Amino acid sequence: MKNKIKYYRELKGWSQEELAKHSDVSRTTISGLENETINVTTNTTMDKISDALGVSTIELFYTWNVQ
């Protein structure tokens, strides 16, 4: 199963660095969330990433992963 952050990031054609710039979240945090080495983050961080990707926080973080 592909991580949803990575899935939506790749749909936009963005690198992790580009998502970091659009969301004002560090690339290290994005990488950790995508690779599931980080499994806890703040609501603010979730909102920033969701907003940058144009999807709801619930869709991105609280529903099933994509294949």
Side-chain angles (χ1 to χ4, degrees):
M1 293 179 99
K2 185 181 273 193
N3 178 280
K4 288 180 86 174
I5 297 170
K6 183 175 183 176
Y7 172 79
Y8 285 112
R9 176 178 60 77
E10 289 178 344
L11 277 179
K12 288 197 167 282
W14 290 349
S15 65
Q16 288 181 349
E17 188 63 36
E18 288 170 310
L19 177 54
K21 288 177 185 175
H22 286 281
S23 64
D24 195 31
V25 173
S26 75
R27 193 211 51 82
T28 303
T29 297
I30 291 167
S31 176
L33 290 168
E34 284 188 0
N35 295 310
E36 298 178 359
T37 57
I38 296 174
N39 54 16
V40 175
T41 192
T42 67
N43 290 339
T44 301
T45 297
M46 290 189 293
D47 289 342
K48 286 179 175 183
I49 294 170
S50 299
D51 288 347
L53 292 172
V55 297
S56 72
T57 301
I58 291 170
E59 167 65 22
L60 195 60
F61 290 97
Y62 297 108
T63 59
W64 51 270
N65 283 345
V66 294
Q67 299 268 348

